[in-house]
């Protein structure tokens, strides 16, 4: 969507401290407006002496924002935003829809800046997780001992929900601080541990600071590939830990890129692809309904609830999927059309990785290697196990990995 020629809008960030906290430039922008748009709370922060017409956003507000260029023709419009308009704010939405040239932004300290100043934390050493209209399970992939997190929520129930989930994940000893109305005259602070969090509701304008502490016996889960096999619920159809780590190294998870996990089984490849970076995306294709359901459960529990699960059989199920940057085929390499469809879907630079455990599948991979290149690697993992009163090596089935870049 593009803005009408010559149309511009000014976005002014405003905090809980209201008019007193605005810079001279922000005040001039508001005082020069003919129309002010914002929530009822934001509009109430502007003194009565400002003569602009005040128009609150309806609920939901998305359509009204899209129609903003036509809503007030010929008038100077200023949109009020909470905190920094470009930090998960309406400024970002307006730029995305109408282009940077049409949006003049007057920034304000964000709630993250305020929270770090109150906690004494370095901003660059603090991880921010937004669960504003998103599943709180997103937090799971970011929790590890000693980590400092700021959780942005949509309402006053977020701190209690964060506390409950941390306790479920084995981090009940974590220290929580709910910071409300930051910078304003009614600023509040509530503290406690996740396991004993006493506040069911806080002020809606609250950010939750977390100092992660693992309970005794909790096994931390890293974001690098190779989670323990028992981190997944599965029926045996699981790419095992060591092979999984090698497979993902061939797939090369990169920020913002999309993976097809074809024949997902327990979903481990797609899940660990997404855990590599918050912007990584994945589609898990699984024909068995019980396994497909389990993939979704594993994804939510391991902090990537955005994993898309497609129940269907390849290659038919691949037809309507968004174009991938990488494809993993964990099963079905011998099914006619599967590798052809996966290869054809890849752009230049896209990666295809296929694992095989049968001779028939290996033959298919050998033929494809002759056709388009790539490398073949065979991996066999053996683990120590009791042999009578001694210890010996118990080998797993060898896995052949074909990896190729288009």
């Amino acid at each position: 969507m593009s803005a009408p020629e010559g149309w511009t809008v000014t976005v002014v960030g405003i905090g809980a401290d209201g008019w007193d906290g605005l810079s001279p430039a922000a005040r001039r922008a508001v005082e020069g407006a003919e129309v002010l748009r914002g929530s009822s709370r934001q509009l109430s922060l502007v003194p009565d002496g400002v003569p602009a017409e005040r128009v609150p956003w309806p609920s939901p507000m998305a359509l009204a924002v899209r129609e903003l260029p036509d809503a007030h023709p010929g008038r100077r419009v200023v949109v009020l935003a909470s905190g920094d308009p470009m930090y998960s704010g309406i400024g970002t939405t307006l730029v995305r829809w109408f282009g940077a040239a049409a949006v003049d932004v007057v920034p304000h300290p964000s709630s993250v800046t305020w929270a770090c100043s109150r906690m004494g934390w370095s901003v660059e050493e603090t991880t921010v997780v937004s669960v504003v209209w998103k599943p709180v399970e997103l937090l799971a992939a970011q929790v590890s001992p000693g980590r400092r997190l700021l959780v942005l929520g949509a309402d006053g129930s977020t701190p209690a929900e964060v506390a409950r989930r941390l306790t479920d994940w084995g981090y009940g000893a974590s220290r929580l601080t709910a910071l409300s109305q930051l910078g304003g005259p009614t600023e509040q602070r509530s503290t406690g541990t996740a396991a004993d969090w006493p506040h069911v509701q806080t002020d809606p304008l609250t950010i939750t600071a977390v100092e992660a502490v693992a309970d005794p016996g909790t096994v931390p889960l890293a974001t690098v590939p190779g989670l323990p096999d028992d981190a997944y619920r599965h029926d045996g159809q699981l790419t095992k830990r060591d092979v999984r780590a090698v497979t993902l190294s061939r797939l090369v998870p990169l920020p913002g890129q999309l993976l097809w996990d074809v024949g997902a089984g327990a979903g481990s490849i797609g899940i660990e692809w997404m855990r590599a970076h918050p912007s990584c995306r994945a589609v898990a294709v699984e024909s068995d309904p019980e396994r497909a359901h389990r993939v979704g459960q594993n994804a939510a529990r391991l902090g990537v609830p955005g994993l898309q699960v497609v129940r269907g059989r390849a290659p038919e199920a691949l037809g309507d999927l968004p174009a991938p940057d990488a494809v993993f085929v964990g099963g079905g390499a011998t099914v006619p059309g599967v590798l052809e469809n996966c290869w054809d879907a890849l752009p230049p630079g896209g990666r295809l990785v296929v694992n095989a455990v049968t001779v028939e599948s290996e033959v298919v991979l050998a033929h494809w290697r002759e056709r388009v290149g790539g490398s073949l690697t065979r991996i066999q993992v053996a683990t120590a196990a009791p042999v009578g009163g001694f210890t010996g090596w118990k080998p797993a089935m060898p896995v052949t990995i074909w990896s190729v870049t288009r």
Side-chain angles (χ1 to χ4, degrees):
M1 180 184 297
S2 59
E5 185 175 354
W7 180 84
T8 60
V9 64
T10 299
V11 185
V12 174
I14 188 168
D17 49 356
W19 191 254
D20 291 341
L22 293 184
S23 67
R27 290 189 182 188
R28 286 195 298 271
V30 174
E31 289 170 335
E34 294 176 289
V35 179
L36 287 176
R37 299 299 304 261
S39 69
S40 297
R41 181 190 64 82
Q42 292 162 345
L43 294 171
S44 71
L45 298 174
V46 178
D48 293 337
V50 175
E53 178 187 0
R54 306 180 189 212
V55 183
W57 296 118
S59 181
M61 60 181 284
L63 182 60
V65 175
R66 284 182 178 270
E67 295 176 346
L68 191 60
D70 301 318
H72 310 285
R75 305 179 75 187
R76 293 188 301 276
V77 178
V78 170
V79 173
L80 300 179
S82 293
D84 184 352
M86 301 304 290
Y87 196 100
S88 298
I90 194 171
T92 305
T93 302
L94 289 169
V95 168
R96 182 170 64 247
W97 284 349
F98 305 120
V103 184
D104 181 23
V105 177
V106 184
H108 189 276
S110 68
S111 59
V112 169
T113 300
W114 278 108
C116 284
S117 69
R118 293 296 187 257
M119 298 297 296
W121 293 356
S122 167
V123 174
E124 65 269 21
E125 295 175 355
T126 302
T127 299
V128 181
V129 181
S130 175
V131 296
V132 178
W133 314 124
K134 299 176 183 177
V136 76
E137 286 87 356
L138 286 169
L139 187 61
Q142 307 300 327
V143 177
S144 59
R147 199 168 190 186
R148 291 173 170 175
L149 307 167
L150 291 177
V151 185
L152 310 181
D155 55 42
S157 67
T158 299
E161 182 65 11
V162 168
R164 185 176 73 82
R165 295 308 179 96
L166 288 170
T167 303
D168 292 343
W169 298 330
Y171 286 83
S174 299
R175 296 180 290 273
L176 269 61
T177 304
L179 300 161
S180 306
Q181 294 287 338
L182 283 164
T186 60
E187 182 175 316
Q188 302 170 19
R189 172 191 290 244
S190 305
T191 60
T193 63
D196 299 314
W197 186 253
H199 312 287
V200 176
Q201 285 285 335
T202 60
D203 187 276
L205 290 180
T206 296
I207 188 167
T208 308
V210 178
E211 298 173 87
V213 179
D215 299 334
T218 296
V219 178
L221 299 179
T223 55
V224 297
L227 295 181
D229 291 344
D230 60 10
Y232 296 93
R233 296 169 183 163
H234 62 91
D235 59 0
Q237 290 297 312
L238 173 73
T239 303
K240 301 302 189 291
R241 181 180 195 173
D242 300 287
V243 175
R244 190 185 325 129
V246 174
T247 298
L248 280 151
S249 74
R250 304 294 202 273
L251 286 166
V252 192
L254 295 174
Q257 294 200 343
L258 173 68
L259 171 76
W260 287 0
D261 183 359
V262 181
S268 62
I269 296 295
I271 288 170
E272 295 192 27
W273 168 281
M274 291 184 66
R275 284 175 60 91
H277 191 272
S279 66
C280 286
R281 299 166 294 132
V283 179
V285 179
E286 175 55 54
S287 60
D288 182 274
E290 187 173 342
R291 288 176 185 163
H293 178 68
R294 195 180 293 122
V295 169
Q297 291 180 321
N298 284 331
R301 196 162 40 83
L302 293 172
V304 289
L307 175 70
Q308 180 184 352
V309 181
V310 173
R311 183 179 148 192
R313 189 176 301 277
E316 294 79 12
L318 307 178
D320 295 327
L321 300 185
D325 299 287
V327 178
F328 171 66
V329 180
T334 59
V335 176
V338 169
L339 295 189
E340 287 83 358
N341 277 264
C342 292
W343 179 254
D344 290 343
L346 285 171
R351 288 85 65 198
L352 173 62
V353 177
V354 186
N355 288 2
V357 295
T358 67
V359 172
E360 291 78 6
S361 296
E362 288 181 335
V363 170
V364 172
L365 299 190
H367 287 161
W368 269 90
R369 179 174 177 270
E370 291 177 3
R371 175 181 163 188
V372 300
S375 63
L376 284 171
T377 305
R378 174 174 282 187
I379 296 176
Q380 184 167 24
V381 177
T383 55
V387 179
F390 298 91
T391 301
W393 293 104
K394 182 179 180 181
M397 289 184 66
V399 178
T400 299
I401 301 175
W402 174 53
S403 55
V404 62
T405 299
R406 177 146 193 175

